[in-house]
Amino acid sequence: MQIGWCTLNCRFNQEEGVGDTPDSYAYDGNRVRKWNVTTTNYGKSWAAGDIVSCLIDLDEGTITFCLNGQSLGTAFTDIKMGPGVAYFPAISLSFKESVAFNFGSRPLRYPVEGYLPLQNPPTADLVKAQKLLGYIKNVLSTSLDTQEERLVEQDCAAWRLHGEPTVLVTLAHIFNHFAPLMCKVYLVEDVLMNFLLGILEGGGSVDEHPLIQQLLDLFWLLMEDYEVNECLKQLMMSLLRAYRFSPIIPDLGFQIHYLRLTTAILHHEKSRKYLLNNVLFDVLRSVVFFYIKTPLRVKEAGLEELIPTTWWPTHFDKEGKDEREPKDESADERLRRRAYERGCQRLKKRIEVVEELQVQILKLLLNNKDKATGEASRYIFLNKFRKFLQENASNRGHPTALCPPEYMVCFLHRLITAVRASWDEGNRKTPGSVSSEEAYVPPQLFYNGKVDYFDLQRLGGLLSHLKKTLKDDLASKANIIIDPAEIQATSMDDLDEDEESGAAQRPFGAAAMGGALARPSWLSSPTLGRANRFLSTAAVSLMTPRRPLTQPEKVKVRTLAVEQRTEEDIEGSHGNDGLLLGRPVEEPDQPIADKSLLEIVDGIVMMYNLSVHQQLGKMVVVSDDVHEYAVALKDTEEKIARCPARRPDILEELQKSQKVFAEKLNHLSRRLAWINATIYSKDKMLDVYWLLCVCIRTIEHADNTGSLFAFAPEFYLNVAMNAYSALKNYFSPANSMEELPGYEETLTQLAAILAKHFADPRIVGTDIKDSLMQALASYVCYPQSLRAVERIPEEQRVAMMRNLLAPYEQRPWAQTNWILVRLWRGCGFGYRYTRLPHLLKTKPEDANLPSLQKPCPSLLLQRHMAELLSMDKDMAASFLNSVLNQLNWAFSEFIGMIQEIQQAAERPERNFVDTRQLKVCATCFDLSVSLLRVLEMTVTLVPEIFLDWSRPSAELLLRRLAQLLNQVLNRVTAEKNLFDRVVNLRLPGLESVDHYPILVAVTGILVRILVDGDRQGFPVPVHPQSVIFRISRAASVLLSDPCFQLHSIQHLLGEGAESTSSSAAITSTARPVVGSLGSTVAPQIPSAAGNGSSERKHFSLHAYTDYISEEEKQKVELMLSFLTEESKQAAASTAPTSEEDLCPICYAHSISAVFKPCSHKSCKACINQHLMNNKDCFFCKATITGVEDYSKPAAS
């Protein structure tokens, strides 16, 4: 944003704005520079809510700028002047930027002596208004003594409207001249607002100043309605501007001053209802009243005086996280920390004064007892609040029309406090009702049509579709009957039906209701319009529960637009349940709270989903900045301590850096104190926790309704997941989740929801299903939340594991696989690491990521998995077949991609590999490793799936597994192969691609099959001879695979380097090897055994002593010696096979199966694998009805 002055000669365009042309002059507080064709540093940084004064002196030829009343100095001198040169205010804005100008139509906030506004103030009206106001003050401070017939002075604060008629007649004469003046914004702000503020200057509570109430009564009595309306509107707009643009000072005096007057005005019932109906949500962005802006300039906000001592974390663990209670904290550090905490508490108390005033305003708006002058304030507020939510939900693609998220955060917290206070007040008056601690939203709000959810997605899909498909369930469970004619009218088959003909076909009552409902323009599309019109046209009927369904007693229910609803429509009366129409049988028949409060709570949940959660995540950046600067400062101090005395130049630079980091930390730590007090305080954390509990209870109640659960809006599940994420990631370490009341139980309830609904067939939305899966995947990464999953009922745990073990086709399986991997991590071969060995020296971008958490395996869930796979043979076969299919795909894709990367890197010209391609390549590698780990987990827990060939698919699965393991080993272990080259490039984005993770995963599977055998698997004891036989059979399957190479196994222990110089896997090439993109190094020629040393250290499990135990190494050595011996015996005993006897499909095995009825032949492995997906013959495409064993006739 560039703001300043320009002449008519300036021609602006998309590229050139104010200050970019010779006759334009601008100041940019974002970049802190001034502009006039060229640019130089100038002024201070500005923030939202600041006031910039633009001063031009055409006598001296200078331009000056002020920020919040403080001069920034002369910006430009000798500006162009003379005949024909006129200057105009000008501004250049970027996307999403906005500004409010005041050319003098209102009093300037910071007038500057010697300068005049462009628009002259209404001087004559000001003098008149001030004189009339003086008369009013005189009358208010005078009373008539009727007995002595004289005037008596009195305190104007004690004045009452119900006095002598003579006084009222006098005031009426004065108001005859005063009232018209109070319709002008300048006079309202300069005269009336200052007068009212002066009444409250004495301090004390607003209730101690009844004069303002009396004055408002006087206004409504002596002024015309249109005059009072305009006066109140201008007064509230002036108060809003004054509050929004007031600078932050240590005691927040300005904000408190304006909020007190706002509260006093809203105390007046008639004024409150007028403002609610016509101003607060329609003309003003009244949410601003509930916002406390964050000061950008700490010094000007007085935080240095309030928090004189600063502090930041100086102790970090190995993963770079702050230690909450460092054991080696020095006495000086402890004193600094405590002084800083005391300063934070002082700041928090001052902010709480403002927050309390904001809550008082909302309590006034939530008043439902002021029915004497018409509809109660709460119902007006509710309808305006829903309309506010509708505008923000429907304009998400138009940021300028949205309420800023920073306002929404503060509004949400104040509204929660006010609603809970009103809820508990009603709870005390209604014995047996639910307290706000146990609040939830009953499920009938979601399907009875009383609350409009706009175009927000339901769990089961489109609302009209749900009404059509679940009409019988609505009738039987909720006693709601839908007229078949209405279902037909709103079906998706007649979307092109003419609007008028549709209205003509509807019953009279429904047509009347539909005509009264004005849909907003954003619902003009036929699909949404038709879907939402269901609410206004459906004939909804309520039945007496005990009457038979064949003869329901139909009662028409009005379903009106938000702004047309009355108290009766919301609260109900005389047997009408209002918002709670259609209570399902599963829902307890007990009073909950005022129904209006239920809808407000529903709106609060929606508001959190719209923008509050994203804003909570954005504000964490300040805490992250403190952490980064603290780490940098500590690193600099360590370098200073190590700096040699002979290098004073280096020492001087380090000390400069130290000073910069310390100054930045002083600023950031004070700013963080403000953010922690306004956004991340303990009270705010409890609000978000309360919201989480509301969502959990609401989901549980909706789930109990069976199929009607599909009507619940998606945002309840989203808020439950996001609120937990916010509590866990945004509010710590200042506040800990463990300290929240009922924390363990809440974790378990959320775990049950995630476990049950991630595969719930009632939920159809792809996005919400993915979110549930990701939330569950994150949940099992942390010990506390994983233990919560283990605490849910066993039936739910088993059902969850069954859903996780569903075949990986036609569903998003990557997250499912990740969940299984996390349940296993910590138990696998060499799988106890948090970060890969080669990445230990680099700092993670975010140490709180789920993938960087320490291993926390679940033996309980592993046991459930073992039982399911062991007992259900068909499920085990389909699951493992899908895992093997996905492994084949993922590893093949990975190899194909690294071939492209290597080819690009070898080209002589400068090349750039697409970062997206690198990311996809790394993802395929990570998927391959995780799939291998799931196979290792399965082999360990249920080895009989592969080794017990009495199971139908065991042999096929073992052969497929052996084939894939051999392919992976050959690709990764061959010397100077493609994998080696790409790993050595160390490209950004491919950091996770390395030998260790994939080779250790393969080794784990081989060790389980060839060494451990029955150690951890079979549910019943197996004879040792049987185990030996199965291990031997597994070895023969591995050795019989044509891809098997013994040196690949030797490579694991570093023994392959000396013995494979003549192997086909090592290929020397004359092409250059690329060290980094764009630069080449000389190719390395493989050396003979024992001569020279390789460029890169050869991979060996022996090198990873911190990751692989001695026992695991011994098992690998045992496996290697066993395979070496078995391969020798196999080579000695294998008779040569003629080409005619080999399988014509794979040419790896002998023919062993004949197909019926066509009599074509192949090996068993090929035909069994083929029959899993296809029943047609390889050769003639005839349908195979059976497969029989085949052995070559002896005579031939």
Side-chain angles (χ1 to χ4, degrees), residues 22 70 96 106 122 130 218 242 284 407 441 549 654 668 675 725 738 751 818 829 874 968 1031 1116 1152:
Q70 295 184 356
K96 292 187 182 181
R106 303 187 308 275
Q130 291 287 7
L218 195 64
L284 301 180
Y407 296 177
V441 178
L549 290 175
L654 287 172
L668 285 174
I675 291 173
S725 173
E738 288 82 351
W818 167 252
F829 183 92
D874 292 337
V968 172
I1031 289 176
V1116 178
S1152 55

Side-chain angles (χ1 to χ4, degrees), residues 41 327 386 554 639 908:
N41 293 332
K327 298 174 183 176
R386 295 301 294 198
K554 293 189 177 181
K639 288 178 180 176

Side-chain angles (χ1 to χ4, degrees), residues 293-307:
K293 63 182 178 182
T294 304
L296 187 66
R297 292 170 297 279
V298 167
K299 187 173 183 179
E300 292 174 19
L303 292 185
E304 289 183 352
E305 293 79 19
L306 204 59
I307 310 174

Side-chain angles (χ1 to χ4, degrees), residues 954-1185:
E955 181 183 359
L956 171 63
L957 290 173
L958 184 59
R959 292 189 184 281
R960 289 197 66 195
L961 178 65
Q963 181 185 25
L964 284 169
L965 295 181
N966 282 326
Q967 288 178 4
V968 172
L969 280 172
N970 293 343
R971 289 283 192 177
V972 177
T973 61
E975 288 294 327
K976 298 297 168 290
N977 65 354
L978 180 65
F979 186 86
D980 261 345
R981 292 175 186 172
V982 173
V983 167
N984 289 336
L985 291 177
R986 292 299 175 198
L987 298 175
L990 292 184
E991 291 88 356
S992 63
V993 179
D994 193 65
H995 294 78
Y996 181 85
I998 195 162
L999 289 182
V1000 173
V1002 172
T1003 306
I1005 299 173
L1006 293 174
V1007 166
R1008 296 302 180 195
I1009 291 178
L1010 301 174
V1011 179
D1012 286 346
D1014 182 43
R1015 188 165 299 174
Q1016 300 180 39
F1018 289 96
V1020 294
V1022 179
H1023 194 275
Q1025 286 296 106
S1026 176
V1027 175
I1028 294 171
F1029 172 71
R1030 287 171 176 170
I1031 289 176
S1032 179
R1033 185 162 56 190
S1036 66
V1037 168
L1038 187 69
L1039 294 172
S1040 64
D1041 186 86
C1043 296
F1044 175 77
Q1045 296 182 26
L1046 185 61
H1047 74 78
S1048 295
I1049 309 295
Q1050 295 169 339
H1051 182 96
L1052 299 174
L1053 294 175
E1055 299 176 8
E1058 295 80 10
S1059 59
T1060 55
S1061 59
S1062 60
S1063 169
I1066 297 184
T1067 57
S1068 60
T1069 174
R1071 290 182 298 175
V1073 179
V1074 180
S1076 60
L1077 290 185
S1079 61
T1080 60
V1081 296
Q1084 179 195 351
I1085 307 300
S1087 58
N1091 295 327
S1093 59
S1094 64
E1095 180 185 296
R1096 184 174 180 272
K1097 189 176 180 181
H1098 195 280
F1099 177 85
S1100 172
L1101 294 177
H1102 290 300
Y1104 299 92
T1105 53
D1106 293 338
Y1107 290 81
I1108 297 175
S1109 66
E1110 284 299 321
E1111 182 185 1
E1112 288 173 332
K1113 291 177 190 172
Q1114 291 171 6
K1115 288 180 181 179
V1116 178
E1117 292 169 355
L1118 182 63
M1119 177 185 71
L1120 178 58
S1121 61
F1122 172 66
L1123 285 176
T1124 304
E1125 187 62 32
E1126 288 286 318
S1127 61
K1128 289 178 182 177
Q1129 294 180 9
S1133 61
T1134 301
T1137 306
S1138 67
E1139 189 174 334
E1140 294 178 358
D1141 296 334
L1142 290 175
C1143 168
I1145 303 300
C1146 66
Y1147 285 94
H1149 307 289
S1150 300
I1151 294 173
S1152 55
V1154 60
F1155 317 155
K1156 297 299 181 182
C1158 61
S1159 299
H1160 285 112
K1161 306 177 186 66
S1162 77
C1163 66
K1164 283 185 179 178
C1166 287
I1167 187 58
N1168 286 341
Q1169 185 173 342
H1170 178 68
L1171 289 177
M1172 281 190 167
N1173 305 306
N1174 199 324
K1175 300 297 182 186
D1176 296 340
C1177 174
F1178 287 116
F1179 308 101
C1180 64
K1181 302 304 179 186
T1183 301
I1184 299 174
T1185 58

Side-chain angles (χ1 to χ4, degrees), residues 60 250 293 385 448 592 722 871 874 930 988 1000 1108:
E60 300 294 332
K293 63 182 178 182
F385 178 53
N448 64 15
I592 303 173
N722 288 336
M871 294 169 60
D874 292 337
S930 64
V1000 173
I1108 297 175

Side-chain angles (χ1 to χ4, degrees), residues 195-206:
F195 169 58
L196 296 176
L197 287 169
I199 294 174
L200 296 173
E201 275 182 355
S205 69
V206 175

